[in-house]
Amino acid sequence: MKDTEGEKLLPCAGHPVELSSRALRIPETAFNVTAKNNPQTKNRIVITAHIDTKIGTPGAIDNATGVTIVLLLAELLKDHPPKHPIELVILNGEDYYGAPGQVKYREQNQDKFSEILLNINIDGVGYKEGPSCFSPFNIPATTLETLYNVCRNTPGIVEGVPWYQGDHSLFLQNHCLTIAVSSQWFIENMECQTLTHTPQDNLGVVSYEQVAQCALGIAELIRML
């Protein structure tokens, strides 16, 4: 309940109140968008971002910047394809109850998660304050050293703390190696920030330079694997 509705209830203090919830579910058709540079699925790198946002918010950080980076990676990797197959996945439904896009992806790949070399999930990148952060999960030492090299060589990218509130949890639950990419400020203030899912999540809070640097860093990481 919003504070403004609470103020309307104040004059009713001491009186019985009845709550009537009028809700309707409307069936709809939506899509995940995927692209592959190779029909081979074994040892593929899956790069994910979610395309949806909450009603009433522009969704700049959550997650237009993530989708932008996926599109930038398509450009950055097309002329010099890495040795591993690449799958780009734009998931639909992360910000809504039930995460239907993630559920559908899991159904379609239930026998193929073991073929995934690495998932890189991008969510909350490009905030104007602080660096981008790459948070590794279950990463072996050799890959971790590659990640450290990227952090050392790419301005504005640091290793991040673990966090689980994103699409990478789908891959973690299926025992995949994962790197979650976000903004350090966003991760460190996740429990108290009032930016995402509000009208304040607009282009005014985005650093375009951070978005570009993040895309370059991910592309370099993929090439080095």
Side-chain angles (χ1 to χ4, degrees):
M1 178 180 290
K2 294 181 179 179
D3 54 356
T4 52
E5 280 130 7
E7 291 171 357
K8 294 176 184 177
L9 285 175
L10 277 176
C12 303
H15 297 278
V17 174
E18 180 178 312
L19 173 65
S20 177
S21 178
R22 298 182 179 89
L24 179 65
R25 267 195 156 176
I26 304 173
E28 187 54 272
T29 300
F31 297 89
N32 292 331
V33 182
T34 64
K36 299 177 182 178
N37 70 342
N38 193 319
Q40 175 68 34
T41 60
K42 193 171 183 179
N43 288 329
R44 72 191 190 275
I45 298 173
V46 181
I47 304 168
T48 51
H50 70 88
I51 198 171
D52 66 317
T53 186
K54 288 284 188 182
I55 293 175
T57 170
I61 294 292
D62 186 20
N63 186 34
T65 52
V67 175
T68 299
I69 289 173
V70 172
L71 296 174
L72 288 172
L73 288 169
E75 289 291 326
L76 290 169
L77 298 173
K78 71 176 183 179
D79 293 329
H80 302 284
K83 63 180 179 179
H84 297 290
I86 300 296
E87 180 181 11
L88 306 179
V89 183
I90 302 297
L91 292 162
N92 203 341
E94 194 267 357
D95 266 329
Y96 283 86
Y97 174 78
Q102 291 80 340
V103 171
K104 178 57 66 175
Y105 184 86
R106 184 183 62 194
E107 291 174 357
Q108 293 171 332
N109 292 272
Q110 57 184 347
D111 299 324
K112 298 178 182 178
F113 280 101
S114 61
E115 300 177 347
I116 296 174
L117 177 70
L118 177 68
N119 164 241
I120 301 174
N121 182 55
I122 310 164
D123 191 355
V125 168
Y127 187 64
K128 62 184 179 180
E129 295 181 18
S132 300
C133 62
F134 287 32
S135 299
F137 298 83
N138 307 325
I139 301 298
T142 52
T143 305
L144 204 56
E145 184 57 34
T146 301
L147 174 60
Y148 292 155
N149 285 334
V150 170
C151 291
R152 284 191 289 264
N153 297 331
T154 309
I157 295 178
V158 299
E159 182 182 359
V161 298
W163 59 285
Y164 299 90
Q165 302 91 318
D167 293 326
H168 54 288
S169 62
L170 164 67
F171 296 88
L172 289 173
Q173 291 163 14
N174 286 276
H175 313 292
C176 297
L177 308 181
T178 298
I179 295 175
V181 179
S182 192
S183 300
Q184 188 177 56
W185 178 93
F186 180 74
I187 299 307
E188 292 181 349
N189 295 276
M190 188 173 291
E191 302 302 325
C192 61
Q193 59 90 14
T194 57
L195 172 65
T196 59
H197 304 168
T198 74
Q200 282 70 49
D201 187 8
N202 56 56
L203 290 177
V205 303
V206 175
S207 165
Y208 303 140
E209 292 79 7
Q210 284 284 38
V211 172
Q213 287 288 358
C214 192
L216 292 169
I218 295 173
E220 184 63 17
L221 173 66
I222 291 171
R223 292 190 187 102
M224 294 173 67
L225 291 176

